[in-house]
Amino acid sequence: MMDGLLWRLFLVFAPLSLLSIGGGQAIIADIQHQTVNVQHWFSAQQFADMFAISRATPGPNTLIASLIGWQLGGVPGVVVATLAMYLPSSTLFVFATSFWHRHPDSPWRKAIERGLAPIAVGLIFAGAVTILQAVHLSLLGWATTAIATALAYFTKLNPYLIVFTVALFYIVVFFAGLSGVPR
């Protein structure tokens, strides 16, 4: 049974590793789709919770793969999921970088650069929308998301200051009983 699970973990994360154009954030929507809708390993809310935990820890965006592996298969699961997430893309990176440095003026290189940038942005945006949908935000949550996004984009405020301020705001809202969530 464990071998089948480990193989399925590998088959989920290895192909996604190769699609992580723009970084790990670009494949969050696909990870959510595979683990929630296809494999039925987690509910949308469980995935959103794991995403939040993985983002709160230092390290790469794709630590969620390790957390998923841990949740499903313990130590063997974390090893397989982590290797499946990092080895294929790292191998591709080594070969692509070698080509990149040997052919700096290649028209192929310029075309690839121009073509991959909008794809990376679109994939990252799809991941953000997937997480927002999974957490079932209230009107206050949507407003907070919009304000934090605007502050991060239009000002030079330190992102840590934005996160700290929002956390304090939600602590006040929660303990004042305005959140609608029982304490």
Side-chain angles (χ1 to χ4, degrees):
M1 164 113 170
M2 181 63 112
D3 290 343
L5 172 66
L6 296 178
W7 180 244
R8 287 188 359 236
L9 276 169
F10 178 81
L11 290 177
V12 165
F13 289 114
L16 291 177
S17 171
L18 294 171
L19 297 175
S20 59
I21 300 162
Q25 195 64 29
I27 58 171
I28 293 298
D30 289 319
I31 293 173
Q32 190 268 352
H33 175 70
Q34 285 294 319
T35 60
V36 173
N37 302 328
V38 176
Q39 299 294 331
H40 305 289
W41 288 331
F42 306 105
S43 69
Q45 185 62 51
Q46 288 171 316
F47 180 84
D49 292 343
M50 282 191 294
F51 176 78
I53 291 168
S54 73
R55 295 303 298 141
T57 58
N61 293 339
T62 48
L63 279 179
I64 192 166
S66 302
L67 185 56
I68 289 168
W70 177 261
Q71 290 290 318
L72 295 173
V75 173
V78 77
V79 169
V80 168
T82 303
L83 289 176
M85 180 53 68
Y86 294 108
L87 278 180
S89 59
S90 296
T91 304
L92 179 63
F93 173 78
V94 168
F95 288 113
T97 302
S98 170
F99 170 81
W100 225 245
H101 290 298
R102 280 193 315 242
H103 306 286
D105 298 322
S106 167
W108 284 98
R109 178 177 169 169
K110 289 177 180 25
I112 290 169
E113 286 173 351
R114 288 189 185 115
L116 289 180
I119 290 171
V121 171
L123 290 171
I124 292 167
F125 182 73
V129 169
T130 299
I131 296 300
L132 286 171
Q133 290 172 336
V135 297
H136 306 292
L137 289 180
S138 64
L139 183 57
L140 179 61
W142 281 105
T144 305
T145 302
I147 292 167
T149 301
L151 286 172
Y153 185 76
F154 293 112
T155 71
K156 300 246 186 244
L157 285 175
N158 186 318
Y160 294 117
L161 179 62
I162 295 170
V163 169
F164 179 73
T165 304
V166 170
L168 274 176
F169 173 73
Y170 271 83
I171 289 169
V172 169
V173 167
F174 179 76
F175 284 108
L178 303 174
S179 68
V181 177
R183 284 187 263 157

